[in-house]
Amino acid sequence: LFNNAAHDQRHAFEDVTVEYFDERIAVNLRHLFFAAQAVTPGMKAKGGGSIVNFGSFSWRVGFGGMPVYTTAKAAIEGLTRSLARDLGEFGIRVNCVIPGWIMTERQLAERIQPGDRAALLADQALKFLLTEEHVTPATLFLLSSAAAAITGQNLIVDAGKYMY
């Protein structure tokens, strides 16, 4: 299971309503839990499987301006570790890919200003903008049998921006 969906809409802490909070948690966290729950019986029947959740570096570096999003993304790492422990006895591996700032069409159109590219690259050890093509191989590796002994782990793909 490749478990990914998110919406990183910016929002002010003071403006968050109960309804907005619940909707953002649903978009950014709830589906990961229930998608994993839905595929687990089939994986158990087959004697194993792999679940890769997608997290975010945003909460790790303390990004502001989107506290519900960062809360949900932090919870994904907790969910990953808990499920890895709970499902390991059935041969099911659960890991998390944590991408850096991926330059999707939306990010390029809405978030990146002309001077931002230079600043982004200055902070990275590897000097290129990240795209989904950089994250896909890491995800496929964790889903594959080559990662048979890896579970409960976070694989950070950020071009060396944040070396934790």
Side-chain angles (χ1 to χ4, degrees), residues 84-163:
R85 180 64 65 188
D86 291 344
L87 302 177
E89 69 180 282
F90 305 104
I92 301 170
R93 298 176 290 109
V94 186
N95 291 291
C96 186
V97 170
I98 302 170
W101 197 352
I102 304 301
M103 295 297 115
T104 62
E105 289 181 27
R106 179 175 166 259
Q107 294 297 330
L108 291 169
E110 296 179 15
R111 303 275 181 247
I112 304 299
Q113 302 302 315
D116 291 344
R117 290 175 190 242
L120 278 169
L121 295 177
D123 288 343
Q124 290 179 189
L126 301 173
K127 305 300 182 188
F128 54 81
L129 294 177
L130 292 166
T131 68
E132 61 277 358
E133 294 165 354
H134 298 110
V135 180
T136 301
T139 305
L140 291 174
F141 166 70
L142 288 173
L143 289 168
S144 78
S145 61
I150 301 172
T151 195
Q153 301 302 310
N154 299 315
L155 180 53
I156 300 167
V157 183
D158 71 351
K161 186 169 182 84
Y162 302 103
M163 295 190 215

Side-chain angles (χ1 to χ4, degrees), residues 38-52:
V39 302
T40 297
M43 289 182 178
K44 285 179 179 180
K46 289 184 177 186
S50 179
I51 298 170
V52 174

